[in-house]
Amino acid sequence: MKEIAVIGIGITKFGELWEKSLRDIAVESAINCLEDAGTDRIDSINIGCMSSGLFIGQEHLASLIADYLGRLDIPSSRVESACASGGLAVRNACMEIATGVSDYALAIGVEKMTDVSIGKATYALATVADQDYEAFHGITFPGLYAMLARAHMERYGTTREQLAQVSVKNHYNGSMNPNAQFPFKITRDTVLNSTMIADPLRLLDCSPVTDGAAAVLLTTVEEAKKLKKHPLVVISGFGSAADAIALCHRKELTELMAVKKSVAKALKMAGKTIDDIDFAEVHDCFTIAEILVLESMGVIGPGKGGPATVDGYTALDGKFPVNPSGGLKSKGHPVGATGVAQIFELVNQLRGNSGKRQIPGVKTGLAQNMGGSGGSSVCHILEAK
Amino acid sequence: MVGIIGYGTQIPRYRIKVEEIAKVWGADAEALTQGLNLYEKSVPAPDEDCTTLSVGAAKNALARAGIDPALIGAVYVGSESHPYAVKPTGTIVSEALGICPYVHTADLEFSCKAGTEGMFIALHLVKTGVMKCALAIGADTSKGTPGDALEYSASAGAAAFIMGTENIVAELLDTHCYMTDTPDFWRRENARYPEHGGRFAGKPAYQKHVFGAVEAILEKTGMKPKDFDYLIFHQPNGKFPVQTAKQLGFTEAQYRYGLLTPTLGNTYSGSSPMGLAATLDEAGPDQLILLVSYGSGAGSDAFVFRTTKHLLKNRDMAPRVRKQLNEHLKYLEYGEYAKFRGKILKPE
Amino acid sequence: MNVPRHWRETPERYRMEAAKCRKCGKISFPARLICPACSNKVFDKTNLSGKGKLLTYTIIRTAPEGFEDIVPYAVGIVEMEEGVRVMGQITDCDLANLKTGDKLISKFRRMNEEGKTGLIMYSYKFVPDVGI
């Protein structure tokens, strides 16, 4: 198996991009990525998108994007695993490189969510749940996490204030991210007084509806060493895992088994333990999700995620900084793009290019991208060499 | 021997008071409460309809009958508010109860008499030996025109009866019907609300048919009003059944258990069947019951039942009518009620 | 067109029909072709009693299409007497008083409709088990 390096990263502004279409932002992120890499060479296109069919009525993205990239000469594919589609596209690009099928593999994550009404967006997002046995009953995506939040609060005594702190922390980080949808700080009271969406989760516990795209270009370490444009960043481990998408079919409501398994696989592949990781970008689609992920990854013990967040353990200057980009909460969550955007942040941090939100001296980072309410999880471990 | 082997009811938890409706339409609430003996009515939740109430009532009847649903050979649902204009309610109910596929079903409609129509057919089918058991349900979620007199009474509820030949709780002694063509109330295809003949719905309609059926069955059975322990008439309001009962020589002691309209409203097809269920809740063994329905259009079905010792055995296997009528209630304001009943127009 | 899709779930939605593994006895709701506990492929039909207790829940205030008119409404995970967990709406309840551990019972209710002229979809929902 060949060693994998990330040589190019690109992103669009995240937000309500009224003037831009899905194909516009997908191609824009790819152009930015190739400019960053300093090469035009691509042997395969790997697209992650959750639901272009429901959001803009467009499937068959693989060929559409290949066409608008001007690259109808190479294989192009699109993968879907709900909100982990982007992470899965990166994983597929890794497989292309590792197996030697491609020497240069482009991964693009994209979602255009604002072309539909909020009711239709809520419906589209609820398709991550079991349609016949969850969504049929009127559950929403925030509703699923709200049920997990209630279970966690009742089992461990996690408080509303602790949940709010996740949002406050991520907005603080995101205030320094020019690409973020909401690049401003918020206070705990703002979170606690925001509109109730699905009890106990309020508006500012939820990541927003966002348009955006991100792209990364992968190649072999051997090829990367020839380019020398950027400090070398490698993907030393990746893992993906599944769990029942219906919450009622899970054994546990206070732990995300797919996250646990995907992280364990990636760590094993990288030959590391969680203690070797310096920082992480994790899937905080809701405040409770970040707490559940941290506990499921083994960064913090069960039930300790809330207090640790309040204590600053996961802050930018904390022992284990989490979501320096601002996370899904502040940066925005164009669902299919998120997994790729996490890699974008990791690479920038490992290159030392993150400006005001740079975490000093980081060598090893982890990206955890979740599908639905934990029905899938994709994890990547990146290292500066 | 044929009769009722299980009975059950379902009443929504929501209520609206007559004063609340009167307040909106500038009506004299006291005239309605005192004059018509009408205080509040049940309102179906947005997720309830004739079908769901039928299933709820029938499940309670099955619990009391203690039989395998598959033994039921026929399901009749009487209602003037079947959720589909074309497509049977009976198949949905049968499927939900686990009675399909070897079953005969029919949806019946005869204003407020559709419930006892089903009972009449079910009892006689079982009597002929065509089938072991048959289920008859009277259920409605009727609507009155906003501000009209019927808006104060049109309510929701269902009563279900399983007829059979074994472990009978109330044996059928006799039936008699009385029908004429009398247009006192109707609803045309695609009309949102029904129309009625006002005072014409009284003497030439309700009174004439109830009188006719009672007199005919008394003559046929050789019984007198005082022979009955209990009496149930159709109850479009709290005044008609009481007035008519007194005129025919019945007393309050006979009709009080079956009189539900003052706090339930008129459940249309469910009305007199619900009264019968409430009576069975209170009756002892070996007591005589006279049930007379009335449906506009117009006609009355009369039934004479005699309770048996089996009545007490399984009675507690399902909730009693007055428990459903008096517990776990939630009162609505007119705005919520109008929303629940689809009386607020939204763009399609 | 949701008709066949809804129709094929009739046994589950109308009467909570589940599948009991003939080998290990685990009950699956909805029915599966492979037992998640022992991988056996032979099952017997069994109807859930409808009784259970509330494990966790939420109150939906921003609803998906088709549910806008009933907000706020509760959705929860119910652990049934038989040990199976089922997600469903909790109706006929006072939202402010709802709590985990509450005893619930299933009722047959309207879930949704395909517009005012289309199919009416019925299903189980849960209500507080107050003996009514």
Side-chain angles (χ1 to χ4, degrees):
Chain A
M1 202 167 93
K2 297 187 180 179
E3 289 182 290
I4 307 153
V6 190
I7 53 163
I9 55 172
I11 202 161
T12 65
K13 167 79 182 160
F14 277 13
E16 294 171 307
L17 308 179
W18 303 119
E19 291 172 356
K20 292 180 182 174
S21 68
L22 182 143
R23 67 188 78 175
D24 290 339
I25 55 178
V27 172
E28 184 184 322
S29 71
I31 291 171
N32 291 344
C33 172
L34 296 175
E35 269 177 18
D36 177 67
T39 175
D40 273 344
R41 187 165 167 202
I42 318 172
D43 300 323
S44 67
I45 303 166
N46 303 271
I47 297 165
C49 180
M50 176 188 148
S51 197
S52 54
L54 288 174
F55 284 120
I56 63 164
Q58 177 72 63
E59 304 292 10
H60 212 169
L61 289 190
S63 299
L64 179 78
I65 303 307
D67 181 14
Y68 277 76
L69 271 175
R71 294 308 303 267
L72 290 171
D73 55 325
I74 54 172
S76 180
S77 62
R78 173 227 176 149
V79 291
E80 183 276 316
S81 187
C83 324
S85 301
L88 201 61
V90 174
R91 183 177 183 273
N92 275 14
C94 286
M95 307 282 269
E96 289 275 336
I97 303 301
T99 57
V101 172
S102 295
D103 288 330
Y104 287 79
L106 180 69
I108 304 175
V110 62
E111 209 76 54
K112 175 73 193 174
M113 300 170 73
T114 62
D115 280 353
V116 293
S117 67
I118 194 71
K120 283 199 163 58
T122 304
Y123 171 80
L125 289 170
T127 64
V128 304
D130 183 323
Q131 280 299 294
D132 291 334
Y133 288 89
E134 292 187 326
F136 175 77
H137 295 275
I139 193 63
T140 59
F141 197 18
L144 294 170
Y145 276 97
M147 284 195 261
L148 295 176
R150 188 180 302 277
H152 201 270
M153 291 164 93
E154 293 192 355
R155 178 160 179 188
Y156 295 119
T158 301
T159 64
R160 267 296 340 171
E161 289 72 18
Q162 291 165 355
L163 292 178
Q165 188 57 34
V166 173
S167 192
V168 171
K169 171 195 62 102
N170 289 346
H171 267 273
Y172 174 80
N173 295 351
S175 71
M176 294 173 276
N177 183 348
N179 290 318
Q181 180 170 12
F182 298 124
F184 49 75
K185 295 173 204 163
I186 57 170
T187 66
R188 199 175 71 179
D189 283 349
T190 321
V191 181
L192 295 179
N193 294 321
S194 60
T195 309
M196 192 70 94
I197 298 292
D199 308 32
L201 298 182
R202 294 175 179 272
L203 184 66
L204 293 182
D205 287 298
C206 310
S207 57
V209 164
T210 310
D211 303 325
V216 295
L217 183 65
L218 310 188
T219 185
T220 60
V221 168
E222 198 184 337
E223 284 285 316
K225 281 180 177 164
K226 294 180 198 161
L227 285 166
K228 287 182 184 166
K229 189 179 171 197
H230 301 289
L232 181 61
V233 174
V234 304
I235 297 181
S236 57
F238 54 84
S240 97
D243 198 355
I245 63 172
L247 288 188
C248 53
H249 295 152
R250 305 239 182 107
K251 287 189 180 69
E252 279 293 337
L253 292 175
T254 52
E255 190 178 24
L256 299 170
M257 295 312 291
V259 173
K260 190 175 184 173
K261 288 186 274 185
S262 67
V263 170
K265 280 184 202 176
L267 286 170
K268 192 180 171 199
M269 185 172 169
K272 295 196 179 298
T273 70
I274 195 72
D275 298 332
D276 298 325
I277 307 296
D278 299 326
F279 74 108
E281 280 283 305
V282 306
H283 200 97
D284 62 320
C285 49
F286 299 91
T287 48
I288 182 66
E290 181 167 313
I291 288 171
L292 285 167
V293 167
L294 292 176
E295 294 176 10
S296 302
M297 291 193 338
V299 172
I300 299 165
K304 304 279 194 284
T309 304
V310 171
D311 292 347
Y313 188 81
T314 54
L316 207 54
D317 59 355
K319 203 157 176 247
F320 188 87
V322 173
N323 285 326
S325 69
L328 284 53
K329 176 66 207 75
S330 163
K331 182 178 58 186
H333 183 27
V335 281
T338 284
V340 185
Q342 290 178 329
I343 305 293
F344 177 95
E345 179 69 13
L346 251 53
V347 171
N348 255 342
Q349 288 282 349
L350 293 170
R351 285 178 182 173
N353 283 350
S354 292
K356 278 197 274 183
R357 64 181 196 282
Q358 178 67 43
I359 312 162
V362 285
K363 294 282 178 214
T364 309
L366 182 151
Q368 182 277 326
N369 183 202
M370 191 138 57
S373 57
S376 59
S377 174
V378 182
C379 176
H380 289 88
I381 292 168
L382 275 67
E383 294 180 59
K385 289 285 179 183
Chain B
M1 199 158 115
V2 62
I4 297 164
I5 62 166
Y7 70 97
T9 58
Q10 187 76 63
I11 301 172
R13 76 177 295 216
Y14 295 100
R15 299 286 183 277
I16 188 165
K17 287 191 179 288
V18 161
E19 284 96 338
E20 176 67 16
I21 303 174
K23 194 172 75 187
V24 171
W25 296 109
D28 180 356
E30 209 174 294
L32 293 155
T33 54
Q34 304 302 313
L36 290 176
N37 190 17
L38 207 54
Y39 297 88
E40 57 192 64
K41 66 168 191 171
S42 65
V43 180
D47 59 0
E48 287 180 304
D49 64 15
C50 153
T51 312
T52 68
L53 292 168
S54 293
V55 171
K59 278 188 175 171
N60 285 332
L62 276 165
R64 284 197 175 106
I67 58 159
D68 176 1
L71 287 176
I72 293 173
V75 173
Y76 300 113
V77 184
S79 181
E80 65 109 54
S81 50
H82 291 288
Y84 290 95
V86 177
K87 197 219 158 291
T89 305
T91 52
I92 308 173
V93 172
S94 301
E95 197 73 70
L97 298 172
I99 299 173
C100 289
Y102 303 113
V103 61
H104 179 252
T105 75
D107 288 5
L108 306 171
E109 184 280 309
F110 193 140
S111 307
C112 298
K113 193 179 83 67
T116 61
E117 264 184 331
M119 293 170 67
F120 186 92
I121 300 170
L123 282 163
H124 289 105
L125 267 178
V126 172
K127 195 175 176 182
T128 62
V130 170
M131 56 189 66
K132 278 197 164 71
C133 304
L135 169 63
I137 304 167
D140 259 310
T141 55
S142 300
K143 282 185 197 174
T145 307
D148 181 78
L150 291 187
E151 191 181 30
Y152 296 89
S153 60
S155 70
F161 297 86
I162 301 170
M163 313 306 184
T165 55
E166 289 169 27
N167 296 315
I168 290 170
V169 301
E171 182 195 354
L172 178 72
L173 298 187
D174 216 334
T175 61
H176 207 295
C177 302
Y178 187 97
M179 310 283 143
T180 71
D181 187 43
T182 306
D184 58 327
F185 169 97
W186 60 85
R187 179 162 56 84
R188 295 279 301 272
E189 179 91 358
N190 296 327
R192 186 180 278 267
Y193 299 109
E195 294 181 19
H196 58 86
R199 288 184 60 79
F200 181 67
K203 204 169 178 186
Y206 181 89
Q207 248 190 21
K208 175 181 161 181
H209 293 81
V210 172
F211 260 79
V214 171
E215 282 167 352
I217 201 155
L218 289 180
E219 191 182 332
K220 190 176 172 194
T221 57
M223 294 174 179
K224 294 181 173 54
K226 68 172 170 51
D227 295 336
F228 292 92
D229 297 286
Y230 302 103
L231 170 74
I232 306 105
F233 282 168
H234 171 55
Q235 316 160 23
N237 50 52
K239 178 184 159 192
F240 279 21
V242 170
Q243 201 176 47
T244 309
K246 283 180 177 161
Q247 286 168 354
L248 281 162
F250 292 93
T251 63
E252 193 190 348
Q254 289 167 301
Y255 64 69
R256 55 190 274 247
Y257 290 116
L259 184 66
L260 303 167
T261 296
T263 53
L264 173 63
N266 178 8
T267 56
Y268 284 57
S269 304
S271 178
S272 54
M274 191 88 76
L276 174 62
T279 302
L280 291 173
D281 283 345
E282 302 295 336
D286 205 25
Q287 294 196 300
L288 276 179
I289 300 173
L290 175 61
L291 165 70
V292 183
S293 64
Y294 172 73
S296 291
S300 286
D301 298 326
F303 303 76
V304 177
F305 291 105
R306 181 165 48 215
T307 58
T308 74
K309 61 181 179 2
H310 295 296
L311 176 62
L312 310 182
K313 203 171 61 183
N314 282 347
R315 194 152 66 182
D316 292 334
M317 298 301 283
R320 297 188 186 204
V321 175
R322 281 191 163 76
K323 185 174 169 74
Q324 293 181 335
L325 188 61
N326 299 327
E327 293 182 18
H328 195 55
L329 304 186
K330 189 165 183 194
Y331 286 87
L332 301 174
E333 292 180 357
Y334 193 87
E336 294 169 285
Y337 157 80
K339 182 183 166 189
F340 275 26
R341 299 306 286 134
K343 292 182 172 184
I344 300 175
L345 292 180
K346 289 181 79 177
E348 292 293 321
Chain C
M1 171 79 162
N2 273 326
V3 173
R5 185 168 184 185
H6 175 62
W7 168 81
R8 91 172 58 93
E9 305 299 326
T10 297
E12 287 87 353
R13 288 182 183 163
Y14 280 27
R15 51 181 185 270
M16 300 196 90
E17 192 177 288
K20 185 173 185 178
C21 175
R22 205 173 275 181
K23 196 169 149 199
C24 76
K26 186 185 169 68
I27 296 175
S28 290
F29 181 84
R32 293 172 181 241
L33 297 178
I34 302 171
C35 176
C38 75
S39 303
N40 179 47
K41 297 186 186 70
V42 189
F43 297 87
D44 293 309
K45 286 177 184 173
T46 178
N47 285 0
L48 300 181
S49 68
K51 288 184 177 175
K53 70 172 196 312
L54 188 58
L55 278 186
T56 185
Y57 70 96
T58 184
I59 298 165
I60 303 293
R61 294 170 194 272
T62 301
E65 260 189 316
F67 293 89
E68 298 96 332
D69 285 354
I70 60 163
V71 290
Y73 58 93
V75 182
I77 296 176
V78 183
E79 186 156 85
M80 311 300 294
E81 269 183 352
E82 295 84 355
V84 187
R85 292 178 183 182
V86 177
M87 185 179 287
Q89 262 185 44
I90 305 138
T91 187
D92 279 6
C93 65
D94 300 315
L95 293 175
N97 298 332
L98 202 61
K99 57 185 187 307
T100 56
D102 280 356
K103 283 186 174 175
L104 303 176
I105 188 163
S106 69
K107 289 275 182 186
F108 182 78
R109 291 296 181 99
R110 277 168 91 117
M111 182 60 70
N112 214 330
E113 58 189 7
E114 289 192 298
K116 290 292 162 205
T117 57
L119 180 78
I120 301 167
M121 287 170 271
Y122 294 93
S123 171
Y124 53 86
K125 286 189 182 181
F126 295 95
V127 302
D129 191 359
V130 290
I132 291 173

